[in-house]
Amino acid sequence: MPLVTNPRGSIPLRRCLLFVPADQDAKVRKAATLPCDGVILDLEDSVGFAGKGEARAAALRALAEIDFGSRERLIRINGLASPWAADDLAALRDSRVAPDTVVIPKVDGPDQVEAVVRALENRPLQLLAAIESARGLFAAAEIAGCSPQMTGLFFGDGDYLADIGGQRTAQTLLYPRSVLVAAAASAGLIAIDTPYLRLGDVAELEADARAAAELGFVGKAAIHPDQLPIINAVFTPTPERIAWAERVLAAASSQAQGVFVIDGVMADAMTVRIAERVLAAARGAPERGRDGKS
Ligand code: COA
Ligand code: MG
């Protein structure tokens, strides 16, 4: 699993995480071959009520049987307020196989992350908390900082908009997205953006992903194979951006002054920090490049 250096240590490269309903075996097998940094085996909303038990068993079977290569293996459990979460957590605690990361949906406060940590007992799995409500948004910094197992925040726009009663536009998403990125960064973590649900709308997907990238998200969830190349391209530093970052570091190390000029723009210590971030992301990226090949 490629890693990216971060203030908190090393966190998996997560430009694109592909959701798959865990009870759909053909899609799960296909996902394990596709150009994504991680596969999220979903036990939550993409699985019907009658299929919850089978999806849980199928997810664990998939971890045992399928080679996901260098892709991060994530399981999204059911929400803690649902009737299925306790069984999901017990299965993860007792299973012979384990995912790399557990995605906890609908997190409203740090107590829910702490409950998951307790339920998993001695399994120190990485955690990703999905913020999908107004309460969750206002508690996002506390949620991000509440456990050393936390590795990021995930934005779920559908449930968030259902909670606040808004409609999906770039404007309505600006505030929650901005808060989420700042909350994650305040704990040294990363933020992953919500999936784009309109299948086939390539131009809109790209605009949506780019808006998230500009706000500071390091990656975005996907729901369909066709979305992966677009999301990978948006969240992978371009050769021009990498060349700029290298020029910044070279200029900074070749002179005694703190301030200098790059491409006609004043640069100083903050520019060096930005350049280091670009190069850290690029170092993780070559394993599955812009064309998505591993
Ligand atoms: N992961 C892996 N493979 C997928 C996939 C996914 N998320 N979505 C589609 N595919 C595969 C299909 O199985 C099909 O494979 P095949 O050509 O080998 O038979 C191919 O990609 C084309 O699929 P397509 O026919 O265009 O899609 P669909 O109509 O079968 O499915 C969805 C559409 C939305 C139901 C499906 O993409 C899906 O299940 N997405 C994930 C939903 C999810 O997990 N949601 C929870 C988070 S919001
Ligand atoms: Mg949701």
Side-chain angles (χ1 to χ4, degrees):
M1 191 161 56
L3 300 170
V4 178
T5 314
N6 177 279
R8 181 79 171 266
S10 283
I11 285 183
L13 178 69
R14 290 172 173 152
R15 289 168 298 174
C16 187
L17 302 180
L18 176 62
F19 269 108
V20 195
D23 57 348
Q24 297 192 28
D25 185 59
K27 283 183 187 163
V28 172
R29 286 179 189 278
K30 190 176 180 104
T33 69
L34 293 172
C36 51
D37 290 327
V39 175
I40 307 177
L41 302 171
D42 188 27
L43 308 182
E44 201 213 9
D45 286 352
S46 70
V47 175
F49 295 167
K52 294 290 186 184
E54 169 48 25
R56 188 183 303 126
L60 296 175
R61 226 172 21 244
L63 292 180
E65 291 174 5
I66 298 173
D67 179 3
F68 286 86
S70 62
R71 293 164 195 79
E72 183 179 3
R73 300 156 320 143
L74 306 96
I75 289 189
R76 180 167 77 169
I77 60 171
N78 286 285
L80 293 203
S82 77
W84 308 287
D87 286 344
D88 293 346
L89 288 165
L92 284 170
R93 182 195 61 209
D94 297 337
S95 163
R96 194 168 50 79
V97 289
D100 301 302
T101 304
V102 175
V103 181
I104 316 169
K106 301 184 172 68
V107 178
D108 287 332
D111 51 312
Q112 288 167 318
V113 174
E114 286 154 8
V116 167
V117 169
R118 273 197 306 279
L120 291 174
E121 293 179 7
N122 53 355
R123 280 236 146 129
L125 301 177
Q126 302 185 117
L127 301 176
L128 201 53
I131 305 298
E132 329 188 50
S133 67
R135 276 185 62 204
L137 191 68
F138 287 127
E142 273 179 89
I143 292 167
C146 76
S147 161
Q149 286 168 242
M150 281 290 297
T151 60
L153 296 179
F154 178 93
F155 179 43
D157 73 338
D159 282 293
Y160 174 77
L161 292 172
D163 190 37
I164 66 161
Q167 287 177 23
R168 193 184 204 286
T169 67
Q171 195 186 337
T172 43
L173 296 191
L174 178 59
Y175 177 74
R177 277 173 160 169
S178 304
V179 172
L180 208 93
V181 169
S186 75
L189 303 186
I190 48 121
I192 318 281
D193 193 40
T194 190
Y196 186 72
L197 304 187
R198 221 178 271 278
L199 299 170
D201 197 338
V202 171
E204 275 300 312
L205 167 64
E206 183 168 358
D208 189 56
R210 210 166 285 289
E214 286 170 359
L215 289 174
F217 284 87
V218 302
K220 185 171 179 66
I223 49 162
H224 191 279
D226 291 352
Q227 297 184 326
L228 304 178
I230 297 156
I231 296 177
N232 281 330
V234 168
F235 290 97
T236 304
T238 60
E240 296 75 32
R241 186 82 172 138
I242 294 169
W244 168 85
E246 284 168 345
R247 281 204 307 283
V248 169
L249 295 195
S253 65
S254 71
Q255 55 183 21
Q257 288 148 316
V259 66
F260 49 99
V261 176
I262 292 284
D263 302 343
V265 181
M266 191 209 85
D268 62 13
M270 56 153 186
T271 324
V272 171
R273 284 181 67 200
I274 294 170
E276 281 169 346
R277 212 179 245 278
V278 170
L279 293 177
R283 268 195 296 278
E287 259 198 61
R288 200 168 295 108
R290 289 168 66 72
D291 62 355
K293 302 259 161 43
S294 41

